[in-house]
Amino acid sequence: SQQGEEDPQALSIQEGENATMNCSYKTSINNLQWYRQNSGRGLVHLILIRSNEREKHSGRLRVTLDTSKKSSSLLITASRAADTASYFCATDWGSARQLTFGSGTQLTVLP
Amino acid sequence: GAGVSQSPRYKVAKRGQDVALRCDPISGHVSLFWYQQALGQGPEFLTYFQNEAQLDKSGLPSDRFFAERPEGSVSTLKIQRTQQEDSAVYLCASREGTANTGELFFGEGSRLTVL
């Protein structure tokens, strides 16, 4: 079973708009990471936020973490058609070495 | 190599056949993971290696699944007597160290279709 649930499952926006994706998880975490996956390809790491951090930025990406609500959000500003992909949150928790992935948000950016 | 390499990219097997999927991680990466990804879902953890030691195989769905990394570099995931429910993309990922803060580098996956 998967630790995280992304919301929405699918999102379609126009180029230039902002895209916000949410992730909720079940257990206390050490860190949370966001990954992107283009159709038919492997996943690519975007950003990591530690459990003691509340917000982090990287380029057009902004990630927030609310450990009291067990949730995170990924904001992509000024979206481009090339941002079209699936986005997954992934958590590590306890002593486990592996990341546990959510179910993903399919983002479509229309030109 | 420059990235994680997986082969074959596509594999079609008849039910009951054995398959072997290969992963060549980034050179020097200590940690290696196998994940299974069903269509439209996120990756599900299968197993974890630290060098040649298989430290966690809790995600392997049955005893038909077997993984090895004998020399701490290349890894093979073997599925015996394949079933239709084994159809999925099998992703390999490596990480430079053992710390959970390190990012995972993924291969492009091996898509297995069992007929």
Side-chain angles (χ1 to χ4, degrees):
Chain A
S1 63
Q2 297 187 292
Q3 154 85 308
E5 294 287 335
E6 271 96 336
D7 169 55
Q9 286 189 321
L11 178 62
S12 185
I13 60 174
Q14 294 292 135
E15 209 166 24
E17 293 180 339
N18 295 342
T20 300
M21 289 159 272
N22 302 295
C23 164
S24 59
Y25 55 90
K26 299 173 185 173
T27 62
S28 295
I29 62 171
N30 300 320
N31 307 287
L32 185 144
Q33 302 185 32
W34 283 89
Y35 284 78
R36 163 198 169 123
Q37 184 179 35
N38 285 61
S39 181
R41 308 297 293 273
L43 285 78
V44 176
H45 177 262
L46 295 176
I47 194 166
L48 175 148
I49 186 165
R50 298 176 189 265
S51 60
N52 61 356
E53 297 177 311
R54 292 297 166 258
E55 187 172 312
K56 203 161 183 181
H57 297 253
S58 176
R60 292 184 297 115
L61 304 180
R62 173 179 167 251
V63 170
T64 63
L65 179 64
D66 186 335
T67 53
S68 66
K69 295 181 179 178
K70 291 189 171 59
S71 69
S72 174
S73 67
L74 171 67
L75 168 68
I76 303 175
T77 59
S79 63
R80 305 164 182 168
D83 295 329
T84 294
S86 291
Y87 291 82
F88 297 92
C89 66
T91 57
D92 77 87
W93 43 276
S95 59
R97 294 293 185 190
Q98 71 270 23
L99 294 179
T100 302
F101 286 83
S103 49
T105 292
Q106 171 63 53
L107 173 66
T108 302
V109 181
L110 303 169
Chain B
V4 178
S5 177
Q6 291 188 248
S7 61
R9 286 294 314 279
Y10 303 94
K11 176 69 179 179
V12 178
K14 291 183 179 177
R15 190 174 57 182
Q17 281 185 331
D18 297 350
V19 299
L21 308 176
R22 176 189 168 106
C23 172
D24 207 331
I26 294 174
S27 178
H29 277 201
V30 168
S31 299
L32 185 144
F33 302 83
W34 283 99
Y35 284 84
Q36 180 189 60
Q37 187 175 26
L39 189 64
Q41 297 296 311
E44 294 266 6
F45 169 76
L46 294 177
T47 188
Y48 164 63
F49 288 87
Q50 183 174 314
N51 295 307
E52 70 280 2
Q54 187 175 20
L55 298 186
D56 189 341
K57 53 182 180 179
S58 62
L60 295 177
S62 76
D63 58 8
R64 296 186 296 104
F65 286 71
F66 172 75
E68 61 182 6
R69 192 186 186 198
E71 297 178 0
S73 55
V74 171
S75 176
T76 304
L77 176 67
K78 298 179 180 178
I79 308 173
Q80 297 177 325
R81 304 182 303 281
T82 52
Q83 304 294 315
Q84 284 190 320
E85 61 263 28
D86 299 334
S87 295
V89 175
Y90 291 86
L91 294 166
C92 175
S94 69
R95 185 165 65 199
E96 184 175 9
T98 58
N100 289 356
T101 51
E103 68 178 271
L104 296 186
F105 292 86
F106 280 85
E108 299 207 322
S110 292
R111 180 179 296 276
L112 172 64
T113 302
V114 182
L115 302 176

